[in-house]
Structure formats: structure tokens, C-alpha cells
Amino acid sequence: MLGIESDGTVKACPTLPTGPYAGGNVLDMTLEHIWETSEQVRFARDRGTEELWGHCKTCYYADVCKAGCSWTAHTTLGRRGNTPFCYHRVVQLRKKGIRERLVPVEKAPGQPYDFGRFELVEEPWPEG
């Protein structure tokens, strides 16, 4: 998937913030060149299990999933390799009596497609 903004800026996903994830501009280079060479666009394709951390590192599906959407984890936690938005993860943690909660640690600065930073906090699954 690619996103192309009205000014020609190419991102690997239409919902990504522009600043840190812009991979080039179709007014300056071909889409093929951007797809093949842009580090920002290759961000989700050039990854492996060696960078997994947290729950995703120990997950049964790690080789296949590789922690899901790289950008979701990156914009939420500051690095890819551990996605907090996985249903399988929730089910597995619940079996252990644990849940995770996202706690804000850095406020979003107020730009379009903005994002802040969060950290994961483990806590006992609430009884009820």
C-alpha cells in the first residue's frame, strides 16, 4: 500500500504522519524508484524477527507476523517489533491473568497525522 499526498509526497501508508515517513515525491522521481530505494517506504518490508521485543518476541506467530504493522508500533511505542494492538496477544496475556495498558509519555506536538508516544504497562487482569 502507498499513500500519495496532494503535493506528490509518497508514504508507505496513507494514514502515516508525513514528516518521519515521507519516502520521496513523485514530482522528483518515479514511483518505482521510491518503492525500491526509499528507506521510509521499505520500513515495513525490510524487517525480521531479530528486532522483535516484548510479547511479540516470544509469540508463537513471530516468524509469520513479525509484530504486525510496523508503523502502528513505531508511532505508538517509538520503535517497531512489538505491537500492542493484537487480539492474539490479549488472549494469551489474559490466560496468564495479565493485561496491558498504554500510558502516554510524550504528547503529540499538534501536526497533521500527529502522534505522541506511549509505553506499555502490565497489570493484573481485573476480576469481574
Side-chain angles (χ1 to χ4, degrees):
M1 175 186 316
L2 287 174
I4 302 176
E5 295 186 351
S6 59
D7 68 354
T9 300
V10 176
K11 304 182 290 187
C13 178
T15 61
L16 288 172
T18 303
Y21 300 105
N25 192 299
V26 293
L27 300 176
D28 303 323
M29 58 190 83
T30 67
L31 192 54
E32 179 182 16
H33 181 76
I34 295 169
W35 177 261
E36 291 296 329
T37 64
S38 170
E39 185 177 320
Q40 292 86 346
V41 172
R42 297 189 63 88
F43 185 72
R45 296 193 321 257
D46 296 343
R47 63 190 179 135
T49 57
E50 66 281 347
E51 69 182 318
L52 299 183
W53 58 282
H55 179 78
C56 290
K57 184 177 183 117
T58 63
C59 181
Y60 173 81
Y61 295 108
D63 289 338
V64 177
C65 177
K66 297 183 180 89
C69 176
S70 293
W71 294 288
T72 300
H74 196 259
T75 58
T76 304
L77 301 173
R79 64 180 176 147
R80 63 186 179 180
N82 188 24
T83 185
F85 305 108
C86 169
Y87 181 72
H88 175 72
R89 172 193 196 113
V90 173
V91 170
Q92 297 306 306
L93 290 173
R94 186 173 188 178
K95 288 177 184 177
K96 297 177 182 178
I98 300 170
R99 75 172 182 180
E100 293 176 318
R101 189 168 43 92
L102 288 170
V103 177
V105 294
E106 183 181 323
K107 188 176 178 175
Q111 302 299 314
Y113 296 100
D114 214 353
F115 60 98
R117 295 277 189 236
F118 297 82
E119 66 181 20
L120 282 170
V121 174
E122 283 189 355
E123 56 192 22
W125 192 277
E127 304 221 3

